[in-house]
Amino acid sequence: MSKDPAALDDADYAALADFRATIRIFLAFSEGEAAKAGLSPRQHQALLAIRGVPRGEATVGYLAQRLILRPHTVSELAKRLSALGLLAGEAPQGDRRKLVLHLTPKAENLLRALSAAHQQEIRRIKPLLSDLLDRFG
Amino acid sequence: MSKDPAALDDADYAALADFRATIRIFLAFSEGEAAKAGLSPRQHQALLAIRGVPRGEATVGYLAQRLILRPHTVSELAKRLSALGLLAGEAPQGDRRKLVLHLTPKAENLLRALSAAHQQEIRRIKPLLSDLLDRFG
DNA sequence: GCCCATTATGTCGTATTACGATATTTCTCA
DNA sequence: TGAGAAATATCGTAATACGACATAATGGGC
């Protein structure tokens, strides 16, 4: 019998494990930085997603797509962030069912420091990640 | 006053948000595949980490380092996986405090299918990730 | 050869958080 | 205008990682 061309060998598994571990390293770094700022990882990602898009476009539904969460989960996330004084929301002109979220100045400041640190970390792991990707043909 | 050279502009935030979103896409894919196999993401990563290392090297402590979790958390993770019939463990010759974990045939089979799917998905997002990394200078 | 600090793993209770089911408000358009 | 859809919100629940603590085994100094 001939070898299955799609069969994975030890090197394939090692590459997958290394890829996953590298992502985990980045996420653990991010977790730590966010925690220093008093944020959960999701809260941090939510703030970043809002900052990364033009003002007025960050609705609950948009965030749900962007974070790959259920809309009602984002609703709770936004409530917690609002309670922390990091988010404000208002209904846009056209559709009063929607809620457009925007960062408070406090959130802008938090995110500025967090993002600088993350940018550095991504630059640090960039060669690692590139090499890793090359192991996937 | 001159502009802070380290200041982040909208494009920097967008790159960070896109990078994070791409990781989230991969993790959501992985979550879904793992769930189809009846595994949590951590359980999947644990199996992969064990498979990715030579037999006999995957102790609880090693996994804790690799997954960036507390050892006692890995202990519980291993207990759940054992209850599912996916892991077996035994004390190695030298040090009977340690517990070496290895996959059962059932876990090998699950992981084979999962890993093939993940390899494909990584190949799919590889160009996206590469372009993204280039946005970080 | 024995003691004790250290290492490795395990147990228990708790807090966080994402989800399903369901509800409410607003919009759309026939 | 009324029915159904869309967008967001509420509530109870389940999963899981952690801290604090416990147990077991090791090994170096004397």
Side-chain angles (χ1 to χ4, degrees):
Chain A
M1 60 193 180
S2 68
K3 202 173 72 176
D4 182 351
L8 301 176
D9 61 19
D10 288 353
D12 289 319
Y13 283 112
L16 284 165
D18 287 347
F19 182 72
R20 194 62 179 250
T22 303
I23 290 180
R24 180 73 188 106
I25 287 170
F26 173 72
L27 292 177
F29 166 84
S30 186
E31 259 179 60
E33 292 294 309
K36 283 195 242 169
L39 296 174
S40 73
R42 285 284 196 245
Q43 289 174 337
H44 170 215
Q45 195 183 356
L47 297 183
L48 179 60
I50 294 168
R51 180 62 181 80
V53 89
R55 193 181 177 86
E57 294 189 11
T59 61
V60 170
Y62 166 79
L63 276 184
Q65 281 195 328
R66 189 70 162 161
L67 307 189
I68 314 186
L69 293 174
R70 304 284 164 173
H72 71 264
T73 299
V74 173
S75 177
E76 292 180 323
L77 188 54
K79 185 169 64 174
R80 282 178 243 136
L81 284 166
S82 296
L84 290 172
L86 296 172
L87 274 193
E90 59 209 6
Q93 284 298 330
D95 190 338
R96 281 183 316 182
R97 290 173 304 179
K98 293 189 181 179
L99 180 63
V100 168
L101 301 168
H102 57 266
L103 306 183
T104 63
K106 183 178 169 188
E108 293 269 7
N109 289 333
L110 272 186
L111 195 57
R112 187 166 13 250
L114 277 174
S115 294
H118 278 71
Q119 201 180 48
Q120 282 194 314
E121 174 69 3
I122 291 171
R123 286 181 175 139
R124 189 183 74 76
I125 64 172
K126 181 181 171 182
L128 289 174
L129 257 183
S130 287
D131 289 351
L132 230 28
L133 286 174
D134 286 339
R135 287 163 69 188
F136 287 89
Chain B
M1 60 189 181
S2 68
K3 202 173 72 174
D4 181 350
L8 301 176
D9 61 19
D10 288 353
D12 290 318
Y13 283 112
L16 284 165
D18 287 346
F19 182 73
R20 194 64 179 247
T22 303
I23 290 180
R24 180 72 188 108
I25 287 169
F26 173 72
L27 292 177
F29 166 84
S30 185
E31 260 178 59
E33 292 294 310
K36 283 195 242 167
L39 296 174
S40 73
R42 286 283 197 244
Q43 289 174 336
H44 171 216
Q45 195 182 355
L47 297 183
L48 179 60
I50 294 170
R51 181 63 183 78
V53 90
R55 193 180 177 86
E57 292 189 13
T59 61
V60 171
Y62 166 80
L63 276 185
Q65 281 195 328
R66 190 71 162 159
L67 307 189
I68 314 185
L69 293 173
R70 303 285 165 175
H72 71 264
T73 299
V74 173
S75 178
E76 291 179 321
L77 188 54
K79 185 168 65 175
R80 279 177 246 136
L81 284 166
S82 296
L84 290 172
L86 297 172
L87 273 194
E90 61 208 8
Q93 283 297 331
D95 190 338
R96 282 183 314 182
R97 289 172 304 179
K98 294 189 178 177
L99 180 64
V100 168
L101 301 168
H102 58 266
L103 305 183
T104 63
K106 183 177 168 190
E108 293 270 7
N109 289 334
L110 272 186
L111 194 57
R112 188 168 10 252
L114 278 173
S115 295
H118 278 72
Q119 202 180 48
Q120 283 194 315
E121 174 68 3
I122 292 172
R123 286 181 175 139
R124 191 184 72 79
I125 65 172
K126 182 181 170 182
L128 289 174
L129 257 184
S130 287
D131 289 352
L132 229 28
L133 286 174
D134 287 338
R135 287 163 68 186
F136 287 89

